């Protein structure tokens, strides 16, 4: 099943997500549906809050980056109960986008390496370092679990310039190739 994507401005994108247990109802199907939704909307990552579930789960398939970033080759992973415990390395800029914020791409600075504790889809625990473009995508998806969006991390002047575009997204005033859930209309 392809889920609609929660759009910028929706309050549910700003909530802090919670850990889950293996008994979480329909978890395996949810993961299948998240992959399907991500590929349909042509993303490299998708976090559960973007499909309106406030749980610490995201999926990443970094293979489209392989040409430019060799570390991306074959990288396809499910992260459950993700917690970043350390970051290191020089911050570098990358022009990020987000399925919840269509048609906006901005440079975001993030550290080059992250250490993350998480469980895979079989609930095996991992504690691993990732670097380069993988660390980049992990940090972007991970931010969603804490209610943070990449536009929060751009230069304040850029954010002011984007105000109109962001408002249009939150009003549903955009052309986008997948279904979205827009914020409830203000009375
Ligand atoms: Ni995103």
């Amino acid at each position: 099943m392809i889920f609609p994507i929660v759009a910028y401005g929706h309050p549910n994108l700003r909530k802090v997500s919670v850990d889950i247990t293996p008994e979480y109802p329909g978890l395996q199907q949810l993961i299948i549906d998240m992959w399907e939704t991500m590929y349909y909307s042509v993303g490299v990552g998708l976090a559960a809050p973007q499909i309106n579930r406030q749980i610490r789960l995201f999926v990443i398939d970094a293979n489209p980056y392989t040409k430019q970033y060799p570390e991306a080759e074959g990288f396809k992973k499910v992260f459950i109960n993700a917690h970043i415990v350390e970051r290191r390395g020089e911050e570098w800029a990358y022009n990020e986008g987000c399925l919840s914020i269509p048609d906006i791409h901005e440079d975001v600075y993030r550290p080059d390496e992250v250490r993350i504790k998480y469980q895979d889809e079989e609930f095996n625990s991992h504690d691993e370092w990732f670097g380069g473009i993988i660390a980049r995508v992990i940090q972007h998806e991970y931010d969603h679990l804490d209610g943070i969006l990449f536009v929060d991390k751009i230069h304040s002047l850029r954010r002011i310039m984007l105000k109109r575009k962001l408002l249009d997204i939150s009003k549903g005033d955009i052309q986008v190739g997948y279904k979205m859930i827009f914020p409830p209309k203000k009375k």
Side-chain angles (χ1 to χ4, degrees):
M1 174 191 158
I2 294 164
F3 290 110
I5 305 278
V6 180
Y8 177 88
H10 198 294
N12 287 357
L13 277 186
R14 294 308 195 169
K15 293 180 178 163
V16 176
S17 293
V18 297
D19 284 345
I20 56 168
T21 65
E23 288 76 40
Y24 185 85
L27 179 61
Q28 294 309 321
Q29 187 60 44
L30 178 66
I31 292 168
I32 293 168
D33 291 342
M34 282 181 70
W35 285 125
E36 197 182 350
T37 302
M38 188 194 82
Y39 291 128
Y40 178 80
S41 351
V42 200
V44 291
L46 183 70
Q50 294 182 277
I51 55 151
N52 226 355
R53 303 264 191 138
Q54 282 67 50
I55 56 175
R56 299 191 82 81
L57 160 65
F58 58 83
V59 298
I60 291 173
D61 185 342
N63 278 289
Y65 289 126
T66 301
K67 254 195 177 162
Q68 236 186 322
Y69 301 93
E71 67 270 26
E73 191 174 358
F75 190 94
K76 182 182 170 182
K77 261 190 212 300
V78 178
F79 292 81
I80 298 169
N81 299 336
H83 294 275
I84 289 178
V85 289
E86 244 181 299
R87 302 180 203 238
R88 70 183 180 200
E90 204 161 322
E91 295 204 352
W92 53 284
Y94 185 82
N95 206 244
E96 294 188 18
C98 180
L99 294 175
S100 294
I101 315 173
D103 291 333
I104 293 183
H105 290 84
E106 292 291 324
D107 279 356
V108 180
Y109 282 86
R110 299 186 190 271
D112 188 50
E113 291 177 84
V114 286
R115 182 182 155 204
I116 186 166
K117 294 184 177 180
Y118 67 97
Q119 274 122 36
D120 58 32
E121 60 265 63
E122 274 118 38
F123 271 81
N124 300 307
S125 293
H126 301 268
D127 179 347
E128 292 171 338
W129 280 97
F130 295 99
I133 198 71
I134 303 301
R136 160 79 44 183
V137 183
I138 285 175
Q139 289 176 88
H140 176 113
E141 300 310 327
Y142 184 83
D143 275 351
H144 279 295
L145 308 185
D146 288 335
I148 299 164
L149 302 170
F150 82 90
V151 288
D152 302 341
K153 306 196 146 212
I154 63 177
H155 197 280
S156 53
L157 282 175
R158 287 297 308 159
R159 203 158 49 240
I160 290 163
M161 288 173 73
L162 288 171
K163 214 174 164 189
R164 179 80 238 173
K165 265 175 114 175
L166 289 169
L167 194 65
D168 285 346
I169 294 171
S170 66
K171 289 194 296 193
D173 208 355
I174 42 159
Q175 296 291 321
V176 58
Y178 43 89
K179 281 213 174 82
M180 297 194 85
I181 300 172
F182 296 101
K185 289 241 179 347
K186 288 203 183 83
K187 281 169 201 149

